[in-house]
Amino acid sequence: MRRSLDYLRRLRRVEDCGLPSQHNPRYGWHRGLSLAAVVALTASALAGAPEPAGLATSRADLTPKDLARVVAITRPTRDFSRPEQFEPMQGGAGTSRKGANKDAFSQSSANITFEEEGTFKLGNALFRKNWVSSPSSTQASDGLGPLFNERACQNCHLKDGRGHPPEADSGTTSMFLRLARQASTEAEKAALAARKVLNFPDPVYGSQLQELAVPGLRGEGRMRVVYQQQKVTLPDGTEVSLRKPSYSVDDLADGPLDPHTTLSPRLTPPMIGLGLVEQIAPADILGRADPDDRNSDGISGKPNIVRDGQTGEPTLGRFGWKAQTPSIRQQAADAFAGDIGISTPEVPKHWGDCTAAEKNCLAMANGAQQRLGPVEAPPPVMDLVTFYSQNLAVPARRDLDKPDVLAGKKLFYDMGCISCHTPKFVTRRGTPNKAQAFQLIWPYSDFLLHDMGPGLADGQAVGDATGSEWRTPPLWGIGLTETVNGNTFFLHDGRARTLTEAILWHGGEGQKARDRFATADAPDRAALVKFLESL
């Protein structure tokens, strides 16, 4: 790991001395790197003992010629007079060109085979399937809970899109509270240091608050959200009202939470493009990390290094609000156990998130059937749900050649937004499914952790992520949020009701970009929002 970090630092120093015509300190990484430097550094990185695959700091899948092509095509543009080549296809060859309607996030990747399309549809059926409590005559569908957030994956990931905070009587099924505390003993501290755990659950209520339960059992409690309005007056006199949430729990079933337990609200994120994100080379994410801010640009992105759930090896976390999950399959298994209470080979917990203190929960029946295997969702279920999640297509860009969108794109770059929201990547060549291989994609994320300041802090550490750090969320598809989900709630807890509010909540490493947006004149702010709406 030390050799990896040394390599990254050398690589950053070389790029900071890149081609003068390409240099712009706001543009972050890939500002211009010569082919000779690429080849030399790649050879240096490949020398010596092999690194864990999930932490590789070089692209061993590419020839020097291909690597030079990748560096060139992913370098941030400086021409905002017209769209870039391939820019409409923000999900590569798998981009969906179907209508920008309420089903825009539910289309399959355009470049999968006819046979794979059938697999995708089977996975979709399982993603929408409602699980039932045990015992039941529908033995292939029972095992729900006993505590749960929803009966089906789709009920949280609404239309495969973004969730929403509780509004009136709408419930909380697409936003929940993570429960966690820091280490309190030497043994727990050692487990954290060895990356055996990410944090520690509440001793009674587990890793998340579950409001729903099967018949005969109480839910754990109810999330309570109270908003305080905060007026922000921009330099041009424009007033924006931000709502600051505070969270608590009512009607707890088994006594109070541990006094050290923190509450972190988590909105379900969109599902599009996950398979492409999974196939970004680790080197291309790790290479953008600068935890010590050695270039003094105020941006200190860092990776969340976690353990692979199957191999136990350290690897790069890239999914979840805190980049705590390394793979789509692991994320699906965690959701089955934590959100629905369904056991899988990866997480064989028949009683989901029930703890030893919740004896009534552990006394309930489970849905494991010996003839179907030792878990409630056997490997074929996981295979299909994982394939479905890997192949939800990114929709094509819209209006990207309009003057206000192009002007907004330039402002997005000039304000420094791409220091975290990295526009482009090229995926690995040797992918398990060739549909994701060597694709130019435009997620607008570096998939690293950034300190976003006290305003967005939840106080909950997750692995290497502190209580004020969040993974940069991808922006592709963000302009279709209202079309697909009927709302415009943004950020990890949906506090922002517009894109303008979301930007104004940026603090910490995002403060400078936020302030440039706030001090821009109204037409420029509107143009930047138009650009985001085109994604």
Side-chain angles (χ1 to χ4, degrees), residues 189-200:
K189 291 176 183 177
L192 278 177
R195 303 184 190 278
K196 294 180 179 179
V197 295
L198 297 173
N199 52 29
F200 295 92

Side-chain angles (χ1 to χ4, degrees), residues 250-273:
D250 293 337
D251 195 27
L252 285 165
D254 292 291
L257 294 166
D258 184 279
H260 298 104
T261 294
T262 56
L263 308 178
S264 180
R266 304 291 176 86
L267 206 67
T268 50
M271 298 282 292
I272 57 173

Side-chain angles (χ1 to χ4, degrees), residues 6 12 64 77 79 88 97 108 174 184 247 249 255 268 274 277 293 300 319 323-324 348 440 463 519 535:
D6 288 344
R12 178 170 291 280
T77 186
D79 180 3
R97 289 182 172 272
S108 61
S174 59
S184 60
Y247 297 91
V249 179
T268 50
L274 297 183
V277 173
D293 192 19
S300 304
F319 299 106
Q324 71 271 20
L440 174 63
T519 56
L535 297 178

Side-chain angles (χ1 to χ4, degrees), residues 100-170:
N101 55 35
K102 64 182 181 178
D103 294 319
F105 292 171
S106 299
Q107 306 300 326
S108 61
S109 299
N111 60 342
I112 61 175
T113 67
F114 179 78
E115 181 181 3
E116 288 173 332
E117 183 68 31
T119 303
F120 178 87
K121 290 177 178 177
L122 289 172
N124 184 22
L126 288 170
F127 199 78
R128 295 170 178 270
K129 169 182 176 175
N130 281 308
W131 295 81
V132 299
S133 57
S134 301
S136 171
S137 59
T138 56
Q139 293 184 353
S141 298
D142 69 345
L144 176 70
L147 296 164
F148 59 96
N149 292 328
E150 255 300 346
R151 295 175 179 271
C153 307
Q154 184 75 213
N155 295 350
C156 291
H157 295 277
L158 308 171
K159 301 292 290 181
D160 302 297
R162 193 180 304 270
H164 59 80
E167 294 279 313
D169 60 351
S170 64

Side-chain angles (χ1 to χ4, degrees), residues 109-436:
S109 299
N111 60 342
I112 61 175
T113 67
F114 179 78
E115 181 181 3
E116 288 173 332
E117 183 68 31
T119 303
F120 178 87
K121 290 177 178 177
L122 289 172
N124 184 22
L126 288 170
F127 199 78
R128 295 170 178 270
K129 169 182 176 175
N130 281 308
W131 295 81
V132 299
S133 57
S134 301
S136 171
S137 59
T138 56
Q139 293 184 353
S141 298
D142 69 345
L144 176 70
L147 296 164
F148 59 96
N149 292 328
E150 255 300 346
R151 295 175 179 271
C153 307
Q154 184 75 213
N155 295 350
C156 291
H157 295 277
L158 308 171
K159 301 292 290 181
D160 302 297
R162 193 180 304 270
H164 59 80
E167 294 279 313
D169 60 351
S170 64
T172 60
T173 58
S174 59
M175 189 174 93
F176 62 88
L177 289 176
R178 284 276 187 208
L179 309 177
R181 60 179 177 82
Q182 282 286 63
S184 60
T185 67
E186 291 304 316
E188 289 181 344
K189 291 176 183 177
L192 278 177
R195 303 184 190 278
K196 294 180 179 179
V197 295
L198 297 173
N199 52 29
F200 295 92
D202 183 84
V204 174
Y205 296 100
S207 63
Q208 62 189 57
L209 184 76
Q210 293 169 314
E211 298 192 1
L212 304 178
V214 299
L217 187 69
R218 281 184 61 186
E220 292 181 314
R222 302 286 297 180
M223 178 197 308
R224 178 176 172 81
V225 189
V226 176
Y227 293 104
Q228 176 185 356
Q229 298 297 321
Q230 296 183 343
K231 292 284 187 182
V232 175
T233 303
L234 305 184
D236 66 359
T238 301
E239 280 196 354
V240 181
S241 179
L242 304 181
R243 57 177 195 170
K244 180 180 180 180
S246 60
Y247 297 91
S248 59
V249 179
D250 293 337
D251 195 27
L252 285 165
D254 292 291
L257 294 166
D258 184 279
H260 298 104
T261 294
T262 56
L263 308 178
S264 180
R266 304 291 176 86
L267 206 67
T268 50
M271 298 282 292
I272 57 173
L274 297 183
L276 294 166
V277 173
E278 192 169 44
Q279 297 308 324
I280 297 172
D284 287 348
I285 296 175
L286 292 169
R288 289 166 169 79
D290 186 17
D292 300 322
D293 192 19
R294 294 172 65 89
N295 63 357
S296 302
D297 66 352
I299 307 298
S300 304
K302 72 179 189 185
N304 200 350
I305 305 302
V306 300
R307 294 278 180 183
D308 184 286
Q310 300 305 299
T311 67
E313 291 294 318
T315 190
L316 177 67
R318 59 180 81 199
F319 299 106
W321 285 105
K322 301 252 184 180
Q324 71 271 20
T325 308
S327 70
I328 295 171
R329 193 179 190 95
Q330 186 64 50
Q331 182 164 292
D334 290 344
F336 265 123
D339 296 332
I340 310 178
I342 296 295
S343 57
T344 62
E346 292 77 12
V347 185
K349 296 180 178 180
H350 302 323
W351 289 271
D353 195 40
C354 294
T355 70
E358 295 176 301
K359 299 187 184 302
N360 290 337
C361 180
L362 296 176
M364 306 299 289
N366 68 72
Q369 306 290 330
Q370 188 172 5
R371 63 186 180 84
L372 298 175
V375 293
E376 294 161 328
V381 172
M382 285 298 298
D383 292 343
L384 290 168
V385 170
T386 300
F387 185 87
Y388 174 75
S389 302
Q390 288 171 332
N391 287 281
L392 282 162
V394 180
R397 287 281 303 279
R398 304 155 310 286
D399 303 327
L400 71 170
D401 58 348
K402 289 189 174 181
D404 54 351
V405 172
L406 288 168
K409 178 181 176 182
K410 183 177 188 302
L411 289 162
F412 189 82
Y413 280 53
D414 287 347
M415 289 179 182
C417 303
I418 68 166
S419 293
C420 300
H421 290 283
T422 303
K424 295 175 278 186
F425 289 90
V426 173
T427 60
R428 299 186 304 115
R429 275 203 180 276
T431 58
N433 187 331
K434 66 180 181 180
Q436 282 102 36

Side-chain angles (χ1 to χ4, degrees), residues 88-91 95-98 100 394-398 480 534-535:
M89 304 290 284
Q90 59 182 344
T95 301
S96 170
R97 289 182 172 272
K98 296 188 177 179
V394 180
R397 287 281 303 279
R398 304 155 310 286
L480 290 172
S534 76
L535 297 178

